[in-house]
Amino acid sequence: MDSIFSQLNVALRGPTGTPQSPTETITRLSDRLAQATQIGDRRSTVLTLKGLSRDWKAEVGERALPGLVDVLLNDAELDEEIGKAVLDTLYVLCNVNEEAESGRGQLHTHIPPQVNKELGFKHTDALLADERVTHKLFALLAHQSFYLRLGVLELLLILLHNRRQVVQGYFLKAPVGATSVIAVLEEQRDRLRDEALIMFQTLVHQSPDIQKVLAFEGAFERLFGIVRAEGGLEGGHVVHDALACVDALLRFNSSNQSYFRETMLPPMLPALLLFPPSLKVSEEVPQAFALQFWDTPQKPANASLIVGIIGMLVNSKGGSVEETRTFSRCLVELGLASNAPTFLKTQALRLLPPNLGIPLPSIVVTPYMPVPGTNDEEWDRLEPASALDALVELVLHGEYNGLFGERRAKDGMELRAAALGVIQNFVQRDEIREAIVRAMLPADGSNTPPPTTPLLHALTAPPHSPLDIAAVTSTHLSCLLFAHLLRYAPRTKTLARSIIPQPNFPNTQPGGEFFVPADGGAPPPPPPAPEEEEEEPESLLQTLSEHLSLAFLSKNRADTSDQEAREWDRLIVGYLTLLIQWLYDDPGSVRDFLQTGGLGMLVEPINQMADSDPVIPGLCALLLGICYEFNREPGEITRATIHPILTRLGIDTLIGRITHLRNDDRFKAIGPDTLVLPYPNQASALPGVPGGGSAAAAAAGDVKKETEAEIWFDWAFVDFWKSNYYTVVKGVAVDPNEAPPTASQNAETEMLVASLREVIQKQSDEIQDLKRRLNEFTASAAAVDVSLPPFSLLSLLSPCTCIHSTFLS
């Protein structure tokens, strides 16, 4: 070390002892590096340049970089010390992140961050101008020296960060690139292995060719070997990095997915979650899988990666029936019958494929419920039930039936939304929809009413004031769920009109009908028998209409707070979205709805001030338009009855209310995977909200508004609205006596025709403008006696004219 400082001192002062500038010093050192014949001289020169590179990055890079590259290519493999020094120097020159250098004990004292970044990219480009540099770096990964291999990994990571695609291109041509990378994954020393895993992820990113090369070199086996050696799911960040590498090799790479399935490794994925890969459908899942300790900080993150890989494979092509069945059941059990963290359950349900391979009603799950006051150390085992029943209960009542945690917690709402999506995929087939709705009807020839299902119970629960947040959410989600059964399903709608709900008595058993303890709990008492009444029983459609009317009246009470009014709005939105999808293109349901008096309650919200909340007026206007457009069956209220109401409200006003709905943030924010929206940051005063109704409780911080969320619409309704609103908008302007269309025109086609008409009108205006300008130009040319070259007006206007003529023809 003393010799290094003496050499640095001589370089700075020069041969005559006169102090030199840093530029002169670096120039002399660069010349010495290029001319030195002894490796010792080159070693001391590189060490000196390494010390200067921290503060004089630009000068060292400009003058010494070619010499440093020569040392890397010729000397690094022969001399460990000079190899480590040149790698460190190149690392400093190419690094664009000062924080990374500060972690290595190297701080720039006077180089501005932006200049440092520009210099790093400049030196990277110069270093990568010769592909031999990259090839040499990958070859040095096979060296026995710990520090040399570590320096290579760190430099490669910097180069990949700066110019990833260039390095990836060189890697594919490197003679020993793949072999060296796989070899370093087998390294037993933690520091090298950790750096190799990080570099591996960057190297394979968005490069299917490199992913294939490394997969066929045995990367999967090495990575799973690391996972096993580090303790599986209980391992730390190393397991996480190894699983992230596996995910990077498989995602968006069908070739690697096929190759992976040919290995013996796929069963390891559920096994890492403690789910037996060979478990038969009729066998119960072991308790070791359902009840695990999740207090290790890294375990949930590791499990999330495994679940993501399982979901990727089960949703891709090429999997066997047995693999699909095993993976699907693993995800179902994790999401419905385990004590996994809520976000992990949500991820599992979202990754379930539309075609499970196993019908949901045939999958039997055994849920567990934490015993209050035991800090999740004791759990009650509940009665087994079908996965479909468990999903419905999860949608309606939340995780653990809503008995624990905040009623409106964001992660809990995300879980319920994921369960709703699974049910939506399950009921895509008409026969399944019809079977579910038919189960709500009395048996043929029998006067005995069927038992009330949890869905029908939640759907027909009468709203009470003051509102309970859990009841509002349950009814709202039941409306979204029931709408999945009716949307675009004429036969199911016909069956639903015959549903006669039984009197909805309050459920005194906490947790609903589904969650009954399996170890000694007494069954809930039967509901009291309803008193015999002579009145004709109400249909489901009539019940929903009355509850909607009651909700309107309760919301408009003078003593309703802003917070409670918002919850009434959410309940009303649930009723309206269901009725809109039910009544659309179903004249029989429209007739029944109008006969229940549903027309009158839609008018007042439409008459609200223009600057008020646009959601409910827009939905009411859409429902009113549907009642007018599809009122095609004989009844007391006809189209001629409704038309004066539309005229009095104003056709333009109705159309404006309908179209203005799409401008609301709660509507615009909805996407295929986005149902849950953050709840506004305001104090809650609802009795059903934890801490609500009490200023002291709110002040105690029981409710964390930043973690709360709510649901207004789902993507299915938003897509339904976008596809069909134009039909309603066009229909409200039609005379009531006009004959109905022979068949419902496709709304998207109508919108396309309207759009083309607008384009043609615009082009027609442009043609007239061009003709006018042409006439003016011709007149001015004639006035000055300028001879114009002959040309065709049609050739000038041919693009617009051809489109216009084609459409008119």
Side-chain angles (χ1 to χ4, degrees):
M1 184 62 68
D2 293 338
S3 62
I4 296 175
F5 283 110
S6 63
Q7 292 167 6
L8 178 60
N9 182 58
V10 171
L12 289 174
R13 296 184 61 84
T16 61
T18 305
Q20 301 180 89
S21 67
T23 302
E24 295 173 339
T25 301
I26 294 171
T27 301
R28 289 177 57 83
L29 290 172
S30 301
D31 295 339
R32 181 182 177 186
L33 183 63
Q35 299 171 3
T37 58
Q38 300 295 323
I39 193 171
D41 295 337
R42 293 195 295 272
R43 182 192 310 119
S44 61
T45 304
V46 171
L47 289 172
T48 306
L49 288 171
K50 173 185 172 182
L52 292 170
S53 64
R54 303 172 185 176
D55 295 322
W56 308 101
K57 187 171 183 176
E59 290 77 4
V60 173
E62 181 180 356
R63 291 167 174 80
L65 188 57
L68 293 171
V69 169
D70 290 339
V71 171
L72 175 66
L73 295 175
N74 301 317
D75 299 335
E77 190 173 2
L78 303 176
D79 188 283
E80 176 184 348
E81 187 176 1
I82 194 174
K84 179 66 170 59
V86 73
L87 289 171
D88 287 346
T89 306
L90 294 175
Y91 179 93
V92 174
L93 295 178
C94 296
N95 193 9
V96 298
N97 184 7
E98 278 192 294
E99 295 180 0
E101 292 193 19
S102 65
R104 293 164 53 99
Q106 300 176 0
L107 279 172
H108 291 304
T109 57
H110 68 280
I111 302 179
Q114 183 61 33
V115 175
N116 179 64
K117 186 175 183 179
E118 294 174 356
L119 289 174
F121 285 124
K122 177 182 177 181
H123 297 153
T124 299
D125 293 335
L127 188 62
L128 295 178
D130 188 350
E131 66 177 7
R132 294 181 303 162
V133 173
T134 307
H135 294 173
K136 189 64 176 182
L137 291 175
F138 284 112
L140 289 174
L141 281 178
H143 201 276
Q144 296 301 317
S145 170
F146 171 83
Y147 291 105
L148 194 61
R149 299 174 78 186
L150 180 61
V152 170
L153 288 171
E154 291 176 340
L155 180 57
L156 279 174
L157 193 58
I158 287 293
L159 297 178
L160 284 166
H161 177 270
N162 294 351
R163 295 289 185 260
R164 174 174 50 82
Q165 294 180 349
V166 177
V167 178
Q168 288 174 334
Y170 290 155
F171 171 82
L172 292 171
K173 302 176 183 178
V176 293
T179 305
S180 300
V181 171
I182 296 300
V184 80
L185 290 178
E186 298 176 328
E187 177 61 53
Q188 299 299 316
R189 289 168 286 193
D190 294 346
R191 180 74 185 279
L192 286 179
R193 182 200 55 202
D194 296 352
E195 288 290 334
L197 289 172
I198 297 174
M199 188 272 293
F200 188 99
Q201 296 178 53
T202 311
L203 178 64
V204 302
H205 183 64
Q206 294 183 349
S207 179
D209 293 334
I210 296 180
Q211 295 166 7
K212 294 176 186 178
V213 170
L214 292 176
F216 282 97
E217 285 289 337
F220 287 126
E221 290 78 4
R222 306 306 190 280
L223 292 170
F224 276 98
I226 294 174
V227 173
R228 285 194 297 265
E230 292 295 319
L233 198 62
E234 304 287 345
H237 67 90
V238 177
V239 171
H240 184 274
D241 290 341
L243 291 171
C245 292
V246 174
D247 184 275
L249 290 175
L250 292 173
R251 196 165 297 277
F252 309 120
N253 194 319
S254 57
S255 176
N256 276 6
Q257 291 173 9
S258 300
Y259 173 75
F260 181 73
R261 288 189 173 100
E262 295 174 0
T263 68
M264 304 297 292
L265 297 174
M268 280 194 62
L269 293 170
L272 287 171
L273 296 172
L274 303 184
F275 183 89
S278 58
L279 190 70
K280 298 181 180 179
V281 177
S282 58
E283 295 178 346
E284 187 176 342
V285 175
Q287 186 171 313
F289 166 79
L291 300 179
Q292 302 185 41
F293 290 102
W294 295 95
D295 50 356
T296 305
Q298 195 62 42
K299 182 176 179 178
N302 295 342
S304 178
L305 276 173
I306 297 174
V307 171
I309 297 172
I310 290 176
M312 172 188 15
L313 293 174
V314 81
N315 283 282
S316 62
K317 298 179 180 179
S320 65
V321 175
E322 185 63 29
E323 176 190 287
T324 302
R325 183 181 294 115
T326 300
F327 285 174
S328 297
R329 188 177 179 194
C330 177
L331 296 177
V332 169
E333 295 282 353
L334 185 66
L336 299 178
S338 75
N339 68 336
T342 304
F343 84 91
L344 202 58
K345 294 181 179 180
T346 303
Q347 181 186 14
L349 294 181
R350 283 178 174 170
L351 291 175
L352 280 172
N355 183 12
L356 288 178
I358 311 175
L360 283 174
S362 66
I363 303 177
V364 178
V365 297
T366 304
Y368 291 84
M369 182 79 71
V371 177
T374 63
N375 195 25
D376 294 347
E377 295 182 358
E378 298 182 15
W379 294 75
D380 279 335
R381 182 175 178 272
L382 307 180
E383 290 288 347
S386 74
L388 182 59
D389 290 338
L391 279 168
V392 172
E393 288 288 342
L394 178 58
V395 171
L396 299 179
H397 303 293
E399 188 179 23
Y400 305 126
N401 241 31
L403 298 182
F404 301 91
E406 296 176 356
R407 302 284 180 133
R408 201 158 35 197
K410 186 177 186 299
D411 56 352
M413 296 300 294
E414 293 281 6
L415 177 60
R416 297 170 78 169
L420 182 65
V422 175
I423 297 176
Q424 180 184 357
N425 289 332
F426 175 68
V427 300
Q428 291 298 316
R429 296 166 56 186
D430 288 343
E431 55 267 27
I432 296 178
R433 301 184 185 191
E434 294 175 22
I436 295 175
V437 174
R438 199 180 296 277
M440 304 178 188
L441 301 174
D444 294 338
S446 172
N447 294 326
T448 303
T452 301
T453 63
L455 172 58
L456 194 58
H457 183 277
L459 189 62
T460 59
H464 296 287
S465 183
L467 277 177
D468 179 76
I469 184 64
V472 171
T473 304
S474 178
T475 301
H476 187 188
L477 292 177
S478 69
C479 291
L480 299 180
L481 199 159
F482 198 74
H484 293 322
L485 303 176
L486 304 183
R487 190 181 307 109
Y488 301 124
R491 292 197 301 270
T492 308
K493 292 180 180 180
T494 302
L495 292 173
R497 293 207 305 270
S498 302
I499 296 177
I500 308 296
Q502 299 303 306
N504 202 334
F505 294 96
N507 188 6
T508 58
Q509 188 77 6
E513 303 172 2
F514 170 67
F515 286 92
V516 179
D519 46 3
E531 298 180 0
E532 296 184 1
E533 299 181 359
E534 298 181 357
E535 297 182 1
E536 183 178 352
E538 295 181 348
S539 66
L540 175 60
L541 191 58
Q542 185 177 357
T543 301
L544 293 175
S545 177
E546 291 181 356
H547 290 177
L548 176 60
S549 178
L550 178 60
F552 275 124
L553 293 174
S554 300
K555 176 200 170 184
N556 294 329
R557 290 201 328 264
D559 60 342
T560 303
S561 64
D562 293 340
Q563 292 80 10
E564 188 173 1
R566 183 180 182 86
E567 297 307 315
W568 280 115
D569 284 346
R570 198 156 58 90
L571 182 61
I572 291 170
V573 166
Y575 287 136
L576 288 174
T577 53
L578 172 58
L579 291 172
I580 286 170
Q581 297 171 90
W582 187 344
L583 270 57
Y584 185 87
D585 202 12
D586 188 12
S589 298
V590 170
R591 178 199 59 206
D592 293 350
F593 177 75
L594 293 176
Q595 288 178 351
T596 63
L599 181 62
M601 61 181 168
L602 302 179
V603 176
E604 183 178 351
I606 300 174
N607 272 328
Q608 290 181 1
M609 299 296 294
D611 58 349
S612 63
D613 188 344
V615 172
I616 291 181
L619 294 175
C620 288
L622 183 63
L623 183 56
L624 179 59
I626 290 174
C627 291
Y628 178 72
E629 171 67 15
F630 298 103
N631 185 12
R632 303 294 183 179
E633 290 192 0
E636 297 179 1
I637 302 177
T638 63
R639 287 168 57 87
T641 309
I642 302 176
H643 189 263
I645 299 176
L646 303 182
T647 304
R648 186 168 65 251
L649 291 172
I651 302 300
D652 292 340
T653 300
L654 287 172
I655 295 175
R657 293 284 190 269
I658 294 174
T659 56
H660 191 44
L661 173 63
R662 61 187 172 191
N663 297 326
D664 188 83
D665 291 337
R666 290 163 290 182
F667 188 87
K668 292 191 298 183
I670 302 302
D673 298 320
T674 306
L675 278 69
V676 181
L677 305 178
Y679 190 82
N681 293 323
Q682 55 185 358
S684 176
L686 293 178
V689 181
S694 168
D702 293 334
V703 181
K704 302 295 184 182
K705 284 298 172 184
E706 62 273 14
T707 64
E708 290 193 358
E710 58 186 355
I711 294 177
W712 287 84
F713 304 100
D714 62 354
W715 175 248
F717 174 77
V718 173
D719 184 62
F720 174 90
W721 184 93
K722 292 179 179 179
S723 300
N724 300 295
Y725 87 96
Y726 186 76
T727 299
V728 180
V729 167
K730 187 189 68 171
V732 295
V734 175
D735 185 87
N737 298 319
E738 182 175 324
T742 56
S744 298
Q745 287 185 302
N746 185 279
E748 294 182 1
T749 303
E750 294 178 2
M751 295 177 66
L752 177 60
V753 170
S755 176
L756 288 175
R757 285 174 178 166
E758 293 179 1
V759 172
I760 291 172
Q761 182 61 44
K762 181 179 179 181
Q763 291 176 345
S764 298
D765 295 340
E766 292 176 355
I767 290 173
Q768 295 301 323
D769 182 62
L770 287 173
K771 287 181 178 180
R772 178 185 58 79
R773 292 166 58 188
L774 177 62
N775 293 333
E776 292 177 355
F777 180 73
T778 304
S780 61
V784 296
D785 195 18
V786 176
S787 60
L788 294 175
F791 64 93
S792 171
L793 178 63
L794 181 60
S795 66
L796 178 64
L797 305 178
S798 57
C800 298
T801 306
C802 292
I803 296 176
H804 187 268
S805 302
T806 301
F807 184 81
L808 292 181
S809 63

